[in-house]
Amino acid sequence: MWFLNKECTSKVRLDGKTVVITGANSGIGKETARNLYARGARVILACRNMEMANKAVEDIKNNPPPRINKDEYKNNAGELVVYSLDLCSLKSVRDCAKNLLTNEAAIHILINNAGIAAYPSYEKTEDGNEMTLQVNYLGHFLLTLLLLPKMQKSSPKCRIVNVSSLAHFWADIDFDNINLERSYGPIKSYAQSKLANILFTKELARKLKEAGIHGINTYCLHPGMIPTRLFRYGDRVVFPGFTFCCNMFTQLFYKNAEQGAQTTIYCSVDEKVANETGLYYSNCNVVTPYRMAKNPQYPEKLWNVSCRLLHLDPEKDFTTILETVSRQIH
């Protein structure tokens, strides 16, 4: 409900900072980009649809966030840059990372925002992974590993923000059937991918600490219920009329994209969370995730399976894994 929505109240400027946001051409990704651009950041929109990304850039440049004067906005805003990224293709992920590492002097904030939901039929990517798992989780896992060395050089005060969802409440992970070849369901695949985002956030925080890598913190979050393009397959996979029902309840229970971006922005800039890592947030607060997200064995088990899907040896130490994955793009 509108009166329960919290805003990120931090006035922090991001002048001189570079932010990468995946899927920033629409929805909460675009609103996050608009806010961070207003704070003076160099904002990189890493997107699959270049036409939509370029339109988003024009919209962001010409329309400030609420309560910001247009002249003040134009005088104090940062930069907007578009990079091509298709998470359906691990080659595209590697190409995007290579371009970022080559062209960008630093990366201070990585926001893994892009996602699909309720994909109507079982489909594998060209890499052999279930589509939702790769787009929502595994592609971001790889992108993060590839950009970590650049973020190390850009630290301290670097942040990795993974957009998850309350949908993880319904999820479990069958680590022997993570691609759901034997038991696919659209909602099941989405929920599993969002649980994976939380587990990855926890395990990455642990790996960074064990490796003695300081100055990079990890965050994951539930943005709220937002009627975005994410659920464009709802009528086909949930029930006929799902979209209509969503629209009926939008005014009472849903957030708009700008409201939905607030917790992402909070995790990206707020001073109070600067020393927190590996936690889960909702409505600009730390909250406790549900059920399987609290299983102490799951973060490492998921890490090991993810490494194997990317042909990495999970038995190697974290620094060696980073070196190995970096060699894949050189």
Side-chain angles (χ1 to χ4, degrees), residues 65-194:
R67 295 174 294 282
I68 295 183
N69 175 276
K70 201 162 189 176
D71 289 334
E72 177 190 344
Y73 181 59
K74 289 192 173 180
N75 291 335
N76 295 306
E79 299 175 79
L80 294 167
V81 187
V82 173
Y83 278 69
S84 176
L85 170 66
D86 184 354
L87 290 156
C88 296
S89 164
L90 296 181
K91 180 183 183 302
S92 175
V93 174
R94 293 185 178 98
D95 288 346
C96 179
K98 185 174 183 178
N99 289 335
L100 286 166
L101 296 173
T102 301
N103 299 327
E104 299 300 325
I107 297 173
H108 301 95
I109 302 170
L110 169 62
I111 302 174
N112 292 318
N113 162 83
I116 55 173
Y119 209 72
S121 57
Y122 186 80
E123 189 170 334
K124 282 191 171 183
T125 66
E126 64 186 38
D127 306 288
N129 302 304
E130 190 271 318
M131 181 71 72
T132 306
L133 180 75
Q134 180 165 318
V135 172
N136 292 2
Y137 165 65
L138 191 64
H140 285 130
F141 179 96
L142 175 59
L143 181 66
T144 302
L145 294 187
L146 288 167
L147 297 185
L148 267 170
K150 177 73 76 175
M151 296 187 78
Q152 273 184 266
K153 294 176 182 176
S154 310
S155 66
K157 298 183 179 179
C158 290
R159 305 189 191 194
I160 296 166
V161 181
N162 297 313
V163 178
S164 182
S165 168
L166 185 67
H168 80 274
F169 174 83
W170 295 281
D172 196 359
I173 298 180
D174 180 351
F175 293 99
D176 295 321
N177 183 39
I178 198 165
N179 278 308
L180 302 179
E181 291 159 314
R182 300 189 295 273
S183 58
Y184 178 75
I187 303 302
K188 181 178 182 179
S189 66
Y190 178 71
Q192 173 184 259
S193 71
K194 291 304 175 179

Side-chain angles (χ1 to χ4, degrees), residues 277-295:
T277 190
L279 301 178
Y280 174 68
Y281 299 76
S282 179
N283 240 6
C284 299
N285 280 301
V286 175
V287 295
T288 302
Y290 294 96
R291 300 172 64 200
M292 296 305 176
K294 295 184 284 189
N295 187 313

Side-chain angles (χ1 to χ4, degrees), residues 195-226:
L195 173 58
N197 293 148
I198 298 174
L199 300 174
F200 172 47
T201 302
K202 286 185 174 185
E203 187 64 10
L204 182 58
R206 189 177 75 85
K207 296 285 187 191
L208 289 166
K209 183 178 179 180
E210 281 187 352
I213 298 173
H214 305 291
I216 304 175
N217 291 351
T218 70
Y219 309 81
C220 61
L221 64 108
H222 168 54
M225 297 183 70
I226 302 147

